[in-house]
Amino acid sequence: MLQTTSATPPAASGIAHPEGVSADEFRAALARLAAGVVLVTAHDPDDGPRGEDVGMTATAFLSVSLEPPLVMVSVRNDSRMDDLLARQPLWAVSVLAEDQRQVAARFAMKGRISDRLLFADVPHAHGAATGAPLIDGALSVLECRTEQRVPAGDHTLVIGRVLTATAPSTDAGPLTYFRGRYRQLG
């Protein structure tokens, strides 16, 4: 059994959960886990006469299964992306390259009204399988269809079957997120 101790009493670092770890302690501990950065996208056909493209930066993305090919992304409950993926089963993921920090930051902004302007000057194409935006210059792009949604605390885990996967030839490295900042390997 793994036991952990904290030098700071839970009351001093925020409100503790019944199990004893506070949100601040949890956030600080996981900030030390480097993660790849992706842009999750979908097309909302119900927003306006031609619909609207929607995007969300995520670091909680991973491969789930090879057979069948499944991936998972964690989305915050009641966010625009959560609401959209609850009714739109088709979405995509662009694995961002180290030079796409501005794209990640742009789609990580909270409280924005519309994504239309955010996509305006980001080179992209719409996927044939999903209609979702696929970011040019990404290390890889995957088009997915939701297989399962799993409630998990204040997030929902969206598990998607990979319909298409493309990994263009590039020497670029991945964009990563570590200790609250976007970083490059090396």
Side-chain angles (χ1 to χ4, degrees):
M1 174 189 272
L2 177 66
Q3 268 190 329
T4 59
T5 59
S6 174
T8 308
S13 62
I15 299 172
H17 294 280
E19 294 80 20
V21 64
S22 73
D24 291 342
E25 289 171 323
F26 182 68
R27 192 175 294 112
L30 290 186
R32 287 167 170 76
L33 174 65
V37 182
V38 302
L39 186 67
V40 178
T41 58
H43 182 75
D44 185 353
D46 299 330
D47 191 348
R50 291 188 310 253
E52 183 173 19
D53 294 331
V54 177
M56 174 196 88
T57 301
T59 57
F61 173 78
L62 58 97
S63 167
V64 173
S65 169
L66 185 59
E67 193 56 45
L70 299 173
V71 294
M72 185 202 73
V73 65
S74 178
V75 297
R76 186 175 35 84
N77 292 344
D78 301 320
S79 66
R80 183 167 186 201
M81 187 60 73
D82 181 43
D83 294 343
L84 178 56
L85 293 184
R87 59 185 166 78
Q88 164 59 286
L90 299 174
W91 46 282
V93 174
S94 296
V95 178
L96 298 181
E98 58 196 356
D99 64 350
Q100 294 179 309
R101 181 181 305 213
Q102 291 77 14
V103 173
R106 172 181 289 212
F107 287 93
M109 293 186 304
K110 292 181 180 23
R112 60 187 188 265
I113 296 170
S114 170
D115 285 5
R116 192 174 317 277
L117 293 176
L118 298 181
F119 278 106
D121 62 348
V122 173
H124 65 281
H126 288 90
T130 62
L134 308 175
I135 305 304
D136 292 358
L139 296 181
S140 63
V141 293
L142 305 118
E143 292 186 86
C144 306
R145 181 186 65 238
T146 299
E147 293 275 313
Q148 188 175 6
R149 292 174 53 86
V150 180
D154 60 1
H155 279 63
T156 297
L157 308 177
V158 181
I159 299 170
R161 179 180 295 256
V162 178
L163 304 173
T164 69
T166 306
S169 178
T170 179
D171 290 332
L175 181 62
T176 60
Y177 194 74
F178 180 68
R179 290 192 174 183
R181 293 182 38 214
Y182 295 116
R183 308 206 185 225
Q184 296 174 320
L185 287 183

